[in-house]
Amino acid sequence: MAFDGLFTKAMTSELQQLLTGRISKVHQPNQLELLLHIRAQGKNHKLLISIHPSYSRIHLTNTANVNPSEPPMFCMLLRKHIEGGVITAVEQHGSDRLIILRIRARNEIGDEIERELHVEMMGRHSNIILVDAERDMILDSLKHLPPSVNSYRTILPGQDYKFPPSQDKQDPFAADADFSGLTDKEIVSRFAGFSPLTAKELNYRLEQDPDSAAAFLQEFTAEKPKGFYVEQQGKSYFSATQLTHLEQDNMQFDNLSELLDRIYYAKAERDRVKQQAGDLERWLQNEIAKLKLKLKKLQKEQDQAQKRDQLQLNGELIMANLHTIKKGMKQAEVVNYYNEETVTITLDPRKTPIENSQKYYSRYQKAKTAVVKTHEQIEKTEEDIRYFELLMQQVQQAGLSDIEEIREELAEQGYMKAQKSKKKKKPQKPNVEHYVSSTGIPISVGKNNKQNDYVTFKVASKSDTWLHTKDIPGSHVIIHSPDPDEDTVLEAASIAAYFSKARESASVPVDYTDVRQVKKPSGAKPGFVIYFEQKTVYVTPDEDLVLKLKK
């Protein structure tokens, strides 16, 4: 990754389209993110600002966000000071990872006020600070820093605003900037805005053309910068310039915001889900571990019960040899008339031969009953393991809106207590995801069991096409067409494979059939179905394709 000072400069250029824009709404989806709705130059924009320690960033976004029912205090303060305000400038502070939004707004009595939103994107030190521009005073911030934590700058309401400490590096855009003969590390240490990735790219180009530095830097000041993304050896790299020093081909985006949406959406969404569903994931892990331990014990009991035939044989052999067995004997050696081998049978010396025989018959009957009951318990335990593993897979791939439905399902099934809520919620339809194939055919996807049942048995028509990964936990996918073209089937199959346990696999088998061929057995758990007359295609999950098809 490389959201360095140079990338910040390019992002500042891209955000100039927000100038004269009016901030219509301010939302705070979680403790690390802000979302500003802005109407600028005849278009609606959503500006996402994140101070996540690993994913700090600012960019325009097209993704949907779930907002809390009650806005946090910082969000309420921003609404008071900047909602309805006009953005007059978007500036970068020097070559730092710091962007300032200058906003002209009005206070409660209608007087004009000047506010600044300082977005500091500095890893774990990232912050969003609202500043009174006239007094250069902090009104509030998303993270507070008392003097005991940071002696250089105090970030608290009422304190004077102070920029992060300067690193006293050279301006790479100055006319006298000279990069020749410098190593990657020397470029990073001497010039502001460079990350090791960007320095490596500059040196690679200088090796090809010693006069290419100016052209390289101009790419970061372009009015409409492009985004470039590379995945190599399990690592991700991005920049506002092509990364030619990397072996893999660059994936190009029309702008930086599209690039960051592509890179961070799934990561940030997963992180938000972990915050909301960490307890649920741990609960599922514990339940699966307990069930697997129970299964081992049941299988051991079953193995012991399988020896019941020997108990029956012992009873028979005692009855066949009553004339040789006497009360008081601790064991008897008799001939097994099935194979002519000598068998040693343990006896209770306090019992008569007939009582010993009856004891073996009684143990045989108990073992016979135990085999049936144990077999039933094993089947039930294996079913529960499959069910919880399916829920675990759904939690790991869930969005925020999906988690609550999974909790509700567990409560309805009697596995968990329902979460108490002060407000009574009206019953809501499951929120399934919608896609459109490259040929224009709508596709619906269920990402948890409630959504799967809903999309298959409520949303889909009997003549629609139903898809599911073959013998692999995953989503129900519906193509809303009785006779979809081959491209649509393959695209829907790719979506089904992506939202399954086989997301990281290749050549995943996906079954498809008419919805009328999908049945739910009586008493089956949510999301469980059987189906007939299916065909199978093999696809490799493609995240880029899934994002491209999302409606």
Side-chain angles (χ1 to χ4, degrees), residues 140-153:
D140 207 351
S141 60
L142 204 50
K143 288 196 304 191
H144 290 173
L145 289 177
S148 59
V149 175
N150 191 324
S151 58
Y152 177 79
R153 62 196 296 246

Side-chain angles (χ1 to χ4, degrees), residues 45-329:
H45 305 273
K46 289 193 295 184
L47 181 65
L48 177 68
I49 306 172
S50 172
I51 61 166
H52 189 286
S54 302
Y55 316 136
S56 57
R57 64 201 188 280
I58 178 172
H59 62 93
L60 300 175
T61 183
N62 290 317
T63 59
N65 283 271
V66 178
N67 298 306
S69 55
E70 294 185 9
M73 290 299 295
F74 186 63
C75 180
M76 294 294 289
L77 181 83
L78 289 179
R79 289 179 180 179
K80 175 184 175 182
H81 285 273
I82 67 172
E83 203 166 72
V86 174
I87 297 174
T88 58
V90 180
E91 302 170 354
Q92 180 185 19
H93 176 65
S95 294
D96 293 337
R97 291 170 292 169
L98 198 167
I99 288 180
I100 303 169
L101 301 179
R102 302 191 188 279
I103 302 161
R104 186 176 66 249
R106 292 188 180 276
N107 61 19
E108 298 91 335
I109 59 175
D111 292 338
E112 196 170 90
I113 55 175
E114 297 289 335
R115 297 288 181 259
E116 294 176 355
L117 200 61
H118 289 232
V119 182
E120 300 178 355
M121 298 161 289
M122 300 173 180
R124 61 190 180 90
H125 301 296
S126 300
N127 208 346
I128 303 172
I129 305 170
L130 181 64
V131 177
D132 181 334
E134 295 174 356
R135 294 180 290 172
D136 210 23
M137 184 185 77
I138 297 172
L139 296 172
D140 207 351
S141 60
L142 204 50
K143 288 196 304 191
H144 290 173
L145 289 177
S148 59
V149 175
N150 191 324
S151 58
Y152 177 79
R153 62 196 296 246
T154 299
I155 308 297
L156 289 172
Q159 296 290 317
D160 291 340
Y161 178 79
K162 195 174 185 180
F163 283 103
S166 172
Q167 294 181 316
D168 296 324
K169 293 183 179 182
Q170 297 179 44
D171 180 3
F173 296 91
D176 59 347
D178 184 9
F179 303 97
S180 57
L182 299 179
T183 65
D184 302 345
K185 286 185 177 180
E186 287 172 336
I187 291 175
V188 172
S189 62
R190 290 190 193 182
F191 291 95
F194 276 89
S195 64
L197 177 73
T198 319
K200 190 179 290 290
E201 176 62 25
L202 174 58
N203 260 338
Y204 181 80
R205 295 197 191 182
L206 290 173
E207 288 176 7
Q208 319 301 317
D209 179 2
D211 298 323
S212 61
F216 173 79
L217 292 170
Q218 282 176 3
E219 294 185 54
F220 294 94
T221 58
E223 185 178 344
K224 294 182 179 180
K226 303 285 186 183
F228 298 90
Y229 175 63
V230 178
E231 281 191 6
Q232 183 171 295
Q233 297 179 346
K235 293 184 178 181
S236 301
Y237 306 91
F238 69 82
S239 182
T241 182
Q242 194 165 0
L243 299 169
T244 56
H245 73 277
L246 297 176
E247 296 175 2
Q248 301 294 327
D249 291 338
N250 283 233
M251 187 185 300
Q252 183 173 327
F253 293 82
D254 290 338
N255 53 66
L256 305 184
S257 293
E258 281 186 16
L259 165 70
L260 296 182
D261 253 354
R262 163 65 179 80
I263 295 171
Y264 285 124
Y265 176 71
K267 289 184 174 70
E269 178 75 357
R270 180 66 197 137
D271 191 75
R272 288 191 289 265
V273 169
K274 273 191 172 181
Q275 292 179 34
Q276 296 289 329
D279 62 324
L280 179 58
E281 197 165 341
R282 285 190 297 274
W283 185 88
L284 287 169
Q285 286 172 342
N286 291 336
E287 289 300 308
I288 291 170
K290 284 191 287 186
L291 285 167
K292 286 184 175 179
L293 183 61
K294 180 182 177 181
L295 183 62
K296 281 185 179 179
K297 290 179 179 178
L298 287 170
Q299 287 170 338
K300 187 176 180 180
E301 288 176 17
Q302 189 180 47
D303 290 342
Q304 291 173 345
Q306 295 287 4
K307 299 174 183 177
R308 67 189 187 281
D309 292 340
Q310 185 63 46
L311 298 172
Q312 184 185 30
L313 177 62
N314 286 352
E316 290 178 1
L317 293 176
I318 291 172
M319 291 303 293
N321 292 274
L322 287 176
H323 60 289
T324 63
I325 301 173
K326 306 296 181 184
K327 184 177 180 179
M329 294 175 63

Side-chain angles (χ1 to χ4, degrees), residues 370-403:
V371 167
V372 175
K373 288 185 176 179
T374 305
H375 182 69
E376 290 174 354
Q377 286 184 294
I378 286 175
E379 284 189 338
K380 173 69 168 57
T381 304
E382 288 176 337
E383 181 186 338
D384 285 345
I385 290 173
R386 286 194 296 271
Y387 176 60
F388 285 130
E389 285 181 340
L390 171 62
L391 290 177
M392 177 66 82
Q393 172 255 322
Q394 291 174 351
V395 168
Q396 290 171 346
Q397 296 182 356
L400 284 174
S401 59
D402 306 321
I403 293 298

